[in-house]
């Protein structure tokens, strides 16, 4: 089995004490057929025939997102083209108490868009109009299905671009980025999605269309937009986004440095930032990750390197030149044995190609792998990397490291062969232990892939019950009926019974079945 | 650990699910499993670009194959999405995991042809296409009909569009017949020192619709020091058949092509149509089960070269005359994605003094021609063609250059609809014009 492409195998990320299925997080197939039938009728009345998918074979192609290990066939898939259509779908769901899950391009790595077997999957891939590019205002207004890189393509002729750059930027959508608060290599300097979204047209779980924020920065009142960005589809669906455009830098310089070990590369990273330089990006790859990238893209990284750093500086030419010299010196002082400077866009693209395709490329050196995503304080890098290496050595499970070193955002890739008895389980244990290492170092269980279904069970390791209850209050304020992507982010699906507002007669079936608690 | 189970496996009917495929070369489960579902292939997939739905993306189609291997039956809806694939292989270029979608879809298409019953209308159209295209004499008869003036009459009445929109599409694609045919000799000696002996595949569509391309190919190869042999026994290479799952027919064409060129004893087999070259390079896979050919065909396939490849390998000796023209170079999918030939034609064009090369935006996305796809799917093909034509027009170039007859016909139709004034030529025609010192107007540059 390649990568995390799921089958009936048991390979996959650690689920913690309770699996999503046991919690009822993904719904029961055929559950509540009358409500589903009513919703289907309602959406067929407002959407064109080709925008409603109910054929079983076709539904199955929506079973998973970029985390293919978890698979659930949705009861219905809809592909609205307008805000009105999307809102009508959500209203139908609200009216009949049917859960819905939003999906953009389906590239998420935490199963955030994993469908509900008893719900509607709302896919925004046909909402892909770029409404406005306003370079003078540094704004773009786009549909949620517009691809991240397409915003940059549209803005580049005017001298601007869209800064957040997840590795999947060629295909991931702005709506998905907004839901996941996506990051990327250059977020070290430019910040995450939340720093680049100024407004959104938003469909609430009741199907109302509201405006959050706007073209101007920092709207008065509560920062509801701030709550929505990164809420992983649990508060509603963005149907339009106002994003900030960033001026194309006058100068970009990219350096590829080869080191003997990740210790050296990690120390160089801390030294660069310690010197007061904020590069646009500092990315690290270890020997195994380099091997995979070479196999996939022939990126020509230095032979024999135990680790490489990709350091990119951008900004005014004078500043970049000065700092670049300092970065080169710092790398050499920390043992860099090979330095390559990209002199043009083609060479820069080749350096980045190796890095950006690394996840998928790992499929070339291992039949299966788990992509982990954790954050640690930057200074803890050498120690944690050493601990991961020890874990790997003692367990015999290979771990490739590709990550945003500048942010301390680790992406260990835990390799295994599912055809080998017990290999999947061993890999899961290593993957889980890595997260424990992150938490133990004062870090977090996810840097940018989100919690989704994959890490919901890990939330109690980071947060107390009180913390989680407080977050739940926010969710209930938006979605008292719990129909917006239920079962994601929080370890146990909780309902909002105690929250003032609508309360329906009979206890919720999940409560009755003992699978959820009323909150 | 427990994982989310398959919630929607085969419907439990009490009998084992048959699955979509028979045992004769089903799409390989191992190749299917190479896909990690990352979605990097979606961006350049023409059908995903058009419709934005998962089942009409490479990732989705692989998922359908996987479902079929796991027991899902071959339903009409499943087949519809396999059929909708243009086979442009942009996804193969885009895939970081090295998924061999080309092999997967080819195996799947053959399974579809064997195991799926098409509607009578669809069957009739496919039969008509395959009774016509791979046969030079029949194509020639069509050309004769075009020359009578009847087509214009039929077009004016709009009858064809009303009753057979797909045939109307076919008729509208065919360029007007050339005034005179230049005969292609069986052997053309090298000019100056002989550097190679090559065979030329003259092709069916190329030969009948664009005979000037073959004549130019012969002249350029000879000028660059090649003896050019045109085996008279050659026929269709089988590309259209293999790309449409017509396995047995494709094998027949392949055997005949191998025989014809083996007998000619050439160093290289030169092809100037991207689709043909890509298929011929993959003959080894097609004839792997044929003991009489399995060995020979590998040697044959290794000798196949696109004309731009062999010219780049040889390096130019014939002097180039200036050609003051701005050129938009269009990557034919079966040249760029299937054969990885991108740099050579560009390098050859750049050698021409005075020629300015411009890149077309979204170059990785297919123009919608895709063999006979545009005949079978006229509406979406037109959308893709118009998108390509808009990108071409945006370059402001006065000459469009590409290496495949299908692309030329498709893009010409779209450019015509836009009212764009732009010349169109095969790469080798541009080289020919430069070597012979012809003006840009000889290439139809307005």
């Amino acid at each position: 089995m390649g990568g995390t492409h799921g089958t009936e195998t048991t390979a996959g990320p650690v689920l913690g004490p309770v699996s999503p299925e046991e919690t009822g997080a993904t719904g029961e197939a055929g559950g509540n057929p009358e409500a589903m039938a009513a919703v289907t009728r309602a959406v067929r009345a407002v959407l064109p025939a080709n925008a409603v998918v109910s054929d079983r074979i076709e539904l199955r192609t929506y079973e998973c997102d970029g985390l293919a290990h978890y698979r659930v066939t949705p009861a219905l898939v809809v592909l609205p083209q307008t805000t009105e259509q999307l809102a009508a779908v959500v209203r139908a769901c609200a009216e009949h108490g049917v859960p819905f899950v939003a999906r953009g391009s389906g590239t998420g790595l935490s199963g955030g868009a994993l469908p509900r077997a008893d719900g509607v999957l709302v896919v925004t891939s046909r909402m892909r109009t770029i409404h406005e590019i306003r370079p003078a205002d540094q704004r773009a207004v786009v549909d949620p299905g517009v691809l991240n890189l397409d915003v940059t393509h549209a803005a580049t002729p005017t001298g601007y671009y869209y800064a957040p750059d997840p590795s999947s930027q060629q295909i991931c959508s702005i709506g998905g980025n907004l839901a996941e608060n996506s990051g990327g290599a250059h977020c070290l300097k430019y910040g995450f999605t939340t720093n680049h979204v100024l407004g959104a047209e938003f469909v609430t779980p009741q199907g109302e269309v509201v405006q959050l924020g706007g073209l101007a920065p920092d709207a008065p009142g509560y920062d509801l937009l701030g709550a929505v960005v990164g809420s992983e589809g649990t508060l509603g669906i963005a149907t339009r986004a106002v994003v900030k455009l960033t001026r194309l830098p006058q100068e970009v310089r990219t350096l590829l440095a080869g080191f003997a070990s990740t210790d050296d590369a990690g120390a160089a990273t801390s030294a660069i930032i310690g010197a007061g330089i904020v590069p646009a990006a500092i990315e690290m790859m270890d020997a195994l990750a380099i091997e995979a990238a070479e196999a996939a893209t022939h990126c020509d990284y230095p032979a024999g390197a135990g680790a490489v750093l990709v350091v990119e500086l951008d900004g005014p030419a004078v500043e970049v030149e000065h700092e670049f010299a300092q970065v080169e010196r710092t790398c050499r002082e920390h043992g860099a044995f090979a330095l390559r400077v990209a002199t043009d866009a083609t060479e820069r693209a080749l350096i980045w190609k190796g890095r950006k395709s690394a996840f998928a490329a790992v499929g070339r050196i291992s039949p299966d792998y788990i992509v982990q995503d954790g954050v640690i304080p930057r200074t803890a890098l050498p120690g944690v990397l050493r601990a991961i290496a020890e874990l790997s050595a003692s367990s015999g499970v290979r771990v490739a490291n590709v990550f945003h070193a500048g942010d301390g955002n680790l992406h260990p890739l835990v390799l295994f062969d599912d055809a080998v008895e017990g290999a999947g389980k061993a890999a899961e244990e290593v993957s889980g232990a890595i997260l424990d290492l992150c938490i133990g170092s004062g870090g977090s269980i996810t840097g940018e892939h989100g919690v989704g279904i994959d890490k919901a069970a890990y939330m109690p390791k980071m947060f107390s019950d009180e913390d989680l209850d407080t977050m739940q209050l926010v969710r209930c304020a938006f979605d008292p009926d719990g129909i917006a992507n239920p079962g994601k982010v929080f370890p146990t699906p909780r309902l909002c019974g105690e929250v003032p507002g609508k309360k329906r007669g009979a206890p919720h079936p999940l409560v009755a079945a003992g699978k959820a608690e009323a909150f | 650990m427990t994982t989310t189970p398959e919630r929607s496996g085969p419907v439990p009917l009490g009998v084992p699910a048959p699955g979509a495929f028979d045992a004769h070369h089903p799409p390989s489960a191992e190749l299917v499993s190479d896909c990690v579902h990352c979605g990097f292939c979606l961006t350049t997939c023409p059908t995903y670009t058009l419709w934005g739905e998962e089942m009409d993306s490479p990732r989705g189609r692989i998922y359908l194959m996987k479902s079929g291997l796991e027991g899902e039956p071959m339903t009409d809806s499943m087949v519809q999405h396999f059929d909708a694939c243009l086979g442009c292989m942009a996804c193969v270029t885009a895939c970081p995991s090295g998924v061999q979608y080309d092999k997967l879809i080819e195996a799947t298409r053959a399974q579809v042809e064997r195991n799926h019953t098409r509607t009578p209308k669809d069957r009739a159209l496919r039969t008509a296409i395959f009774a016509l295209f791979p046969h030079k004499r029949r194509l020639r008869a069509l050309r004769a009909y075009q020359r009578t003036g009847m087509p214009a009459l039929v077009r004016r009445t709009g009858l064809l569009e009303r009753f057979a929109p797909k045939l109307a599409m076919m008729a509208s694609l065919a360029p007007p017949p050339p005034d005179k045919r230049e005969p292609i000799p069986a052997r053309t000696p090298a000019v100056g020192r002989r550097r190679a002996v090559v065979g030329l595949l003259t092709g069916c569509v190329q030969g009948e619709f664009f005979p000037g391309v073959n004549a130019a190919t012969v002249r350029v190869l000879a000028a660059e020091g090649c003896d050019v042999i045109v085996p008279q026994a050659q026929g269709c290479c089988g590309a259209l058949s293999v790309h449409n799952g017509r396995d047995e027919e494709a094998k027949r064409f392949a055997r005949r092509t191998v025989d014809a060129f083996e007998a000619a004893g050439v160093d290289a087999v030169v092809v100037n149509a991207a689709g043909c070259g890509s298929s011929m390079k993959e003959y080894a896979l097609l004839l792997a089960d044929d003991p009489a050919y399995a060995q020979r065909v590998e040697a044959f396939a290794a000798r196949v070269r696109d004309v731009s490849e062999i010219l780049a390998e040889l390096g130019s000796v014939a002097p180039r005359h200036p050609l003051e023209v701005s050129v938009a170079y269009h990557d034919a999918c079966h040249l760029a994605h299937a054969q990885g030939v991108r740099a050579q034609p560009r390098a050859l064009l750049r050698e021409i003094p005075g020629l300015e090369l411009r890149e077309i935006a979204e170059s990785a996305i297919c123009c919608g021609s895709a063999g006979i796809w545009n005949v079978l799917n006229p509406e979406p093909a037109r959308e893709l063609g118009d998108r390509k034509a808009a990108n071409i027009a945006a370059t402001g170039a006065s000459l469009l250059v590409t290496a495949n007859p299908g692309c030329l016909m498709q893009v010409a139709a779209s450019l015509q609809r836009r009212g764009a004034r732009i010349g169109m030529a095969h790469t080798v025609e541009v080289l020919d014009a430069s070597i012979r010192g012809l003006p840009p107007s000889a290439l139809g540059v307005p």
Side-chain angles (χ1 to χ4, degrees):
Chain A
M1 224 29 250
T4 51
H5 202 135
T7 51
E8 66 293 348
T9 64
T10 55
V14 172
L15 298 174
V18 190
S19 79
E21 202 245 338
E22 286 166 43
T23 65
T26 55
E28 302 277 345
N32 208 355
E34 297 81 23
M36 202 56 232
V39 168
T40 307
R41 270 194 307 277
V43 305
R44 283 202 191 280
V46 289
L47 293 184
N50 70 7
V52 184
V53 179
S54 57
D55 176 272
R56 214 173 63 88
I57 293 272
E58 295 179 337
L59 288 174
R60 288 202 59 185
T61 63
Y62 285 96
E63 279 177 351
C64 54
D65 57 12
L67 180 60
H69 175 65
Y70 300 102
R71 300 199 285 167
V72 175
T73 311
L76 193 71
V77 172
V78 295
L79 297 142
Q81 263 183 305
T82 65
T83 301
E84 292 68 36
Q85 289 178 350
L86 192 148
V89 171
V90 173
R91 268 197 304 276
C93 288
E95 191 184 327
H96 300 282
V98 166
F100 65 87
V101 176
R103 168 175 163 133
S105 296
T107 56
L109 292 169
S110 58
L114 183 75
R116 291 275 302 199
D118 58 352
V120 178
L121 188 70
V122 183
V123 182
T124 58
S125 58
R126 283 189 188 161
M127 299 175 73
R128 47 187 173 183
T129 305
I130 295 178
H131 296 279
E132 288 181 76
I133 296 285
R134 305 167 57 146
D137 293 323
Q138 286 187 259
R139 301 284 182 271
V141 182
V142 303
D143 274 353
V146 168
L147 306 184
N148 174 303
L149 198 54
D150 282 350
V151 180
T152 287
H153 283 157
T156 301
T158 69
Y160 288 83
Y161 76 112
Y162 181 62
D165 62 335
S167 291
S168 57
Q169 68 184 128
Q170 68 182 72
I171 181 58
C172 63
S173 69
I174 292 293
N177 290 176
L178 192 149
E180 298 290 324
N181 188 19
S182 301
H186 293 78
C187 292
L188 173 62
K189 180 172 180 180
Y190 292 101
F192 285 66
T193 300
T194 191
N195 304 108
H196 298 266
V197 174
L198 294 139
E201 179 184 76
F202 192 71
V203 174
T204 69
Q206 294 75 45
E208 282 173 64
V209 181
V210 299
Q211 302 292 331
L212 306 173
L215 285 165
D218 195 20
Y222 290 122
D223 183 10
L224 296 179
L225 181 65
V228 160
V229 176
S231 61
E232 305 196 20
T234 60
L235 304 183
I237 304 177
T239 48
R240 198 174 278 202
V242 179
V243 299
K244 186 165 74 185
L245 298 176
T246 303
R247 182 90 194 144
L248 284 166
Q250 185 187 9
E251 174 84 19
V252 181
R253 280 222 209 156
T254 308
L255 172 79
L256 180 72
F259 294 85
S261 69
T262 51
D263 270 16
D264 290 351
T269 303
S270 285
I272 290 167
I273 296 182
I277 298 170
V278 183
I282 306 185
E283 300 286 299
M284 198 195 296
M285 292 166 70
D286 71 3
L288 256 183
I290 295 168
E291 184 190 332
E294 280 291 346
T297 65
H298 312 291
C299 47
D300 199 19
Y301 283 5
V308 293
L309 280 185
V310 177
V311 186
E312 189 159 280
L313 296 174
D314 66 8
V318 183
E319 180 187 312
V320 169
E321 189 165 346
H322 175 72
E323 290 188 339
F324 199 79
Q326 221 176 327
V327 167
E328 278 187 285
R329 213 166 39 243
T330 309
C331 284
R332 282 216 180 79
E333 281 166 12
H334 287 83
F337 66 84
L339 290 180
R340 190 182 344 138
V341 182
T343 54
D344 60 23
T346 317
E347 284 182 31
R348 189 158 68 237
L350 187 64
I351 290 178
W352 276 110
K353 200 173 173 192
R355 164 62 188 92
K356 293 216 168 190
S357 64
F359 284 4
V362 161
R364 300 202 185 221
I365 59 164
S366 173
D368 302 82
Y369 64 92
I370 298 167
V371 181
Q372 194 45 280
D373 170 42
V375 187
I376 52 170
R378 193 166 44 232
T379 47
L381 262 179
V384 169
L385 287 176
R386 232 173 295 130
I388 291 176
E390 281 159 22
L391 256 177
S392 172
S394 64
S395 63
V397 175
R398 295 191 299 165
V399 180
N401 284 292
V402 185
F403 56 94
H404 311 310
D407 298 320
N409 185 179
L410 302 178
H411 290 310
L413 299 153
V414 184
L415 315 186
F416 64 102
D417 181 352
D418 204 40
V420 176
E421 178 80 27
K425 195 163 182 331
E428 286 153 24
E429 278 164 16
V430 169
S431 178
I434 292 173
L435 278 194
D436 288 337
L437 274 174
C438 292
I439 299 172
S441 315
S444 153
I445 57 170
T446 168
E448 54 190 12
H449 295 174
V451 177
I453 196 89
D454 191 34
K455 294 198 168 155
Y458 269 87
M459 289 291 272
K461 289 202 175 191
M462 267 195 82
F463 298 105
S464 68
D465 284 352
E466 289 74 18
D467 292 337
L468 291 172
D469 285 350
T470 308
M471 292 185 206
Q472 197 68 14
L473 280 171
V474 176
R475 188 178 78 103
C476 291
F478 278 83
D479 180 24
D481 293 333
I483 59 169
N485 210 6
K488 309 291 165 59
V489 185
F490 299 101
T492 311
R494 288 167 184 239
L495 308 171
C496 307
E498 298 303 311
V499 173
K502 290 178 219 162
K503 190 172 179 183
R504 299 214 158 86
H508 191 283
L510 281 179
V511 176
K515 286 179 170 176
E517 52 189 295
F519 173 76
Chain B
M1 192 203 74
T2 322
T3 62
T4 307
E6 279 286 69
R7 285 171 183 282
S8 58
V11 183
L13 293 173
V15 290
F21 309 115
D22 62 36
H24 183 68
H25 296 311
S28 150
E30 204 177 318
L31 295 186
V32 163
S33 77
D34 285 342
C35 173
V36 298
H37 218 252
C38 69
F40 279 37
C41 56
L42 304 188
T43 323
T44 50
C45 172
T47 53
Y48 186 82
T49 307
L50 285 178
W51 305 317
E53 54 186 29
E54 193 66 26
M55 49 282 188
D56 278 312
S57 76
R59 176 173 76 172
R61 292 189 180 105
I62 291 171
Y63 213 92
L64 291 173
M65 293 171 199
K66 182 171 146 71
S67 311
L69 289 169
E70 288 172 359
E72 292 284 2
M74 187 181 280
T75 62
D76 288 353
S77 66
M78 188 190 269
V79 169
Q80 174 199 332
H81 302 301
F82 293 143
D83 277 354
C85 168
L86 289 90
C88 69
M89 306 306 155
C91 53
V92 176
T93 301
C95 180
S97 301
V99 173
Q100 298 177 50
Y101 179 83
D102 47 346
K103 290 186 181 146
L104 288 172
I105 191 70
E106 221 153 273
T108 303
R109 290 204 204 276
Q111 291 275 349
V112 168
E113 288 314 302
R114 272 202 302 279
N115 301 319
H116 178 71
T117 311
R118 296 186 183 281
T119 63
K121 219 172 139 186
D122 194 13
R123 268 209 307 278
L125 180 64
R126 281 169 192 264
T127 308
I129 290 169
F130 284 96
L132 178 65
F133 270 96
H135 304 281
K136 285 190 205 186
R137 282 200 201 98
R138 295 176 201 168
L139 275 178
R140 199 161 297 169
L142 175 78
R143 309 299 283 157
Y145 155 80
Q146 280 190 311
R147 242 168 269 148
T148 59
M150 268 295 284
L153 186 67
V154 173
R155 259 202 296 275
R156 262 203 307 281
T157 58
L159 276 176
L160 202 54
E161 274 81 359
R162 248 180 84 197
F163 290 105
K166 291 178 181 180
L167 284 175
M169 179 75 179
M170 207 155 39
S172 79
L173 286 172
D179 300 331
K180 61 176 173 61
R181 303 181 63 83
E182 296 170 75
I184 307 285
R187 184 180 191 102
T188 305
V191 176
R193 187 174 69 86
R194 188 172 80 191
R195 301 161 76 202
V197 179
V198 303
L200 176 67
L201 181 95
T202 48
C204 6
V205 174
Q206 188 79 287
E208 287 311 312
F209 289 176
F210 301 100
V213 173
N214 282 335
T217 306
V218 171
R219 277 194 298 270
V220 172
L221 285 168
E224 296 293 7
C226 301
D227 275 3
V228 186
I229 317 270
V230 179
Q232 301 303 297
Q234 65 172 302
C236 173
C237 70
L240 287 180
S241 306
V242 78
H243 293 148
N244 288 280
R246 299 167 73 95
D247 220 19
E248 288 309 316
E249 185 178 270
K251 284 177 185 163
R252 275 201 307 279
F253 285 133
R255 287 189 200 101
R256 193 167 102 182
T257 309
V258 172
D259 291 344
F261 282 94
E262 265 186 357
V266 293
D267 303 328
V269 178
V270 177
V271 188
N272 57 23
C276 307
S278 131
S279 289
M280 288 162 70
K281 286 180 179 178
E282 284 156 18
Y283 272 179
L285 196 69
L286 182 67
L287 294 178
D289 292 344
D290 184 338
Y293 280 83
Q295 296 251 301
R296 292 157 57 194
V297 77
E298 285 204 20
F300 172 87
R303 280 202 295 268
V304 176
R305 295 283 184 285
D306 181 73
V307 61
S308 64
E309 275 182 295
I310 191 142
L311 290 174
E313 276 172 33
L314 287 170
S316 59
V317 291
R320 266 58 168 166
H321 297 98
L323 202 57
E324 297 291 339
V325 64
S326 53
V327 165
Y329 178 76
H330 164 70
D331 281 304
C333 294
H334 275 95
L335 198 58
H337 297 307
Q339 301 184 55
V341 176
R342 294 182 184 82
Q344 298 90 328
R346 287 177 171 82
L348 289 167
L349 291 169
R350 281 205 189 92
E351 271 184 16
I352 298 175
L355 186 148
E356 184 207 340
L357 195 59
R358 295 182 190 173
E359 292 295 325
I360 301 169
E362 298 184 335
S363 64
I365 298 180
C366 179
C367 66
S369 164
I372 59 163
W373 195 86
N374 51 355
V375 179
L376 295 171
N377 306 276
E379 295 88 8
R382 177 183 282 239
E383 270 185 74
L384 288 169
D386 289 351
R387 186 176 172 132
K388 183 61 75 181
N391 281 323
I392 290 167
T395 66
S398 56
L399 181 66
L400 173 70
V401 174
T402 189
N404 197 48
C407 304
L408 273 179
M409 290 196 278
Q410 164 79 1
V411 175
S414 289
L415 286 169
Q416 221 166 42
R417 272 197 297 281
R418 283 181 72 88
R421 280 169 48 78
I422 182 169
M424 311 224 324
H426 188 287
T427 314
V428 81
E429 290 180 296
V430 183
L431 298 176
D432 181 48
S434 168
I435 291 171
R436 294 162 74 197
L438 300 180
S441 59
L443 295 166
V445 173

